[in-house]
Amino acid sequence: MARVVFLGTPDAAVPTLDALVPDHDVGLVVTQPDRPKGRSATLEAPPVKQAAERHGLTVAQPAVTREIAPTIEQAGPFDVGVVVAYGRILRPDVLALTDHGYLNVHFSLLPRWRGAAPVARALMAGDEMTGVTIMKLDEGLDTGPILTAQAIDIPDESNAGELTARLAGVGARLLTDILLRYLIGDLEPIPQTDDGVTYADKIEKEDRPIDPRSDAVAAVSKVRALAPAPTATLVLDGETHKIHQARLIGEEVDPGTWIRIGGRAVAGFPGGAVELVTLQPPGKRPQSGSDWVNGRHTDRGVIG
């Protein structure tokens, strides 16, 4: 049994925390502060805090990066740290606080997609394969040596939320499978190669709009990459709509236009047509493309 400090924040980090608890002493869980949510701005605890409290674990929520090291040091000592989507880069003073460093569960096949948004960027780029890498953190951005990795195929219509949930389960199993072997020195990390490095920059608001001049495959890839949140957007008849789900279909539609086909909303892009399966007009709730198109006063319009 190892004494572990766990750092993570979103839903994707919860499976690893859950997997550690039965066999290890999770002495401290470090997560981001509670954040306001919804129109009421009510404070909501991050998923990792909620999971930790269900397990009866001690939780700390440093508000700023400089508070992380003293928080961990006060609760120590620890054999090892485990990090899954914590949301802050750990400084050298933090990395020095455990006997065996920190292991990171990263949702890509490093060195491809180092950085903040590996799942979204893989989908946006049209990758057919991704995976999970367990690495030992160093001072670089996802540059540390690798202990193990597992590849998975990306299903044709999976979105970022679905793919992340699958990778989270894979990562939890990989981490718990190798943790004790690593701690007893039976598994040595292997330095990363710099061949094929790509960077998964954080998703910004300028990433969301779908360019009507982009090809149909790229348009659908962006929808998948940004679902369920923050969602891709598309201008339809002069109004910006959120696009929650879309798929390629074998129809011919003039690029830059949308039309009604068999009760479905279909947008034309260079190279193909895209069915707008679920979309959200401004100020309204998400609705099916069929409901949206049936509520229009015309059978065709413009995009962009």
Side-chain angles (χ1 to χ4, degrees), residues 15 62 69 86 126 140 146 150 187 192 206 209 232 236 246 254 275 284 304:
Y86 173 47
I146 293 171
Q150 180 175 327
L187 187 62
Q192 278 192 53
E206 55 264 27
L236 300 167
D254 290 337
E275 180 185 354
K284 297 184 179 179

Side-chain angles (χ1 to χ4, degrees), residues 171-251:
R173 179 182 57 77
L174 279 182
L175 187 281
T176 52
D177 281 352
I178 61 92
L179 183 56
L180 286 179
R181 289 179 57 203
Y182 166 69
L183 292 175
I184 65 174
D186 191 39
L187 187 62
E188 283 292 328
I190 299 172
Q192 278 192 53
T193 175
D194 286 331
D195 294 338
V197 170
T198 56
Y199 288 94
D201 294 330
K202 180 181 176 182
I203 299 298
E204 304 286 358
K205 62 182 181 181
E206 55 264 27
D207 292 307
R208 296 180 63 192
I210 299 170
D211 187 339
R213 298 166 297 181
S214 64
D215 66 66
V217 172
V220 171
S221 294
K222 177 168 284 194
V223 173
R224 294 170 60 202
L226 302 182
T231 69
T233 61
L234 181 64
V235 176
L236 300 167
D237 297 333
E239 293 186 315
T240 299
H241 292 60
K242 296 179 180 179
I243 310 299
H244 294 269
Q245 184 180 3
R247 59 171 169 247
L248 296 170
I249 59 172
E251 303 284 353

Side-chain angles (χ1 to χ4, degrees), residues 33-288:
D34 297 358
R35 304 292 188 195
K37 186 172 182 180
R39 294 182 179 179
S40 65
T42 302
L43 288 178
E44 182 174 283
V48 161
K49 179 181 179 180
Q50 297 175 41
E53 290 178 340
R54 289 195 298 270
H55 290 298
L57 303 174
T58 301
V59 178
Q61 297 174 275
V64 293
T65 299
R66 68 176 179 273
E67 295 176 355
I68 300 173
T71 298
I72 294 174
E73 188 172 25
Q74 184 175 6
F78 294 101
D79 297 311
V80 68
V82 173
V83 184
V84 189
Y86 173 47
R88 286 198 177 107
I89 294 176
L90 302 186
R91 302 191 314 193
D93 58 344
V94 176
L95 297 178
L97 288 177
T98 70
D99 293 341
H100 296 275
Y102 292 74
L103 302 187
N104 178 228
V105 181
H106 184 78
F107 299 145
S108 81
L109 294 176
L110 293 169
R112 185 160 178 81
W113 301 125
R114 293 174 179 172
V119 177
R121 295 299 178 184
L123 287 169
M124 211 175 290
D127 289 2
E128 296 181 353
M129 178 180 291
T130 187
V132 177
T133 302
I134 310 297
M135 68 170 173
K136 184 177 180 180
L137 286 180
D138 63 12
E139 296 178 28
L141 178 62
D142 298 329
T143 56
I146 293 171
L147 283 89
T148 189
Q150 180 175 327
I152 67 167
D153 293 328
I154 299 178
D156 289 342
E157 294 193 2
S158 64
N159 64 30
E162 296 161 347
L163 184 56
T164 298
R166 183 180 174 194
L167 293 170
V170 172
R173 179 182 57 77
L174 279 182
L175 187 281
T176 52
D177 281 352
I178 61 92
L179 183 56
L180 286 179
R181 289 179 57 203
Y182 166 69
L183 292 175
I184 65 174
D186 191 39
L187 187 62
E188 283 292 328
I190 299 172
Q192 278 192 53
T193 175
D194 286 331
D195 294 338
V197 170
T198 56
Y199 288 94
D201 294 330
K202 180 181 176 182
I203 299 298
E204 304 286 358
K205 62 182 181 181
E206 55 264 27
D207 292 307
R208 296 180 63 192
I210 299 170
D211 187 339
R213 298 166 297 181
S214 64
D215 66 66
V217 172
V220 171
S221 294
K222 177 168 284 194
V223 173
R224 294 170 60 202
L226 302 182
T231 69
T233 61
L234 181 64
V235 176
L236 300 167
D237 297 333
E239 293 186 315
T240 299
H241 292 60
K242 296 179 180 179
I243 310 299
H244 294 269
Q245 184 180 3
R247 59 171 169 247
L248 296 170
I249 59 172
E251 303 284 353
E252 292 188 9
V253 179
D254 290 337
T257 67
W258 69 263
I259 65 173
R260 181 202 305 260
I261 298 180
R264 299 175 298 173
V266 180
F269 290 87
V274 173
E275 180 185 354
L276 306 178
V277 179
T278 309
L279 69 165
Q280 185 174 356
K284 297 184 179 179
R285 294 181 180 275
Q287 58 189 254
S288 69

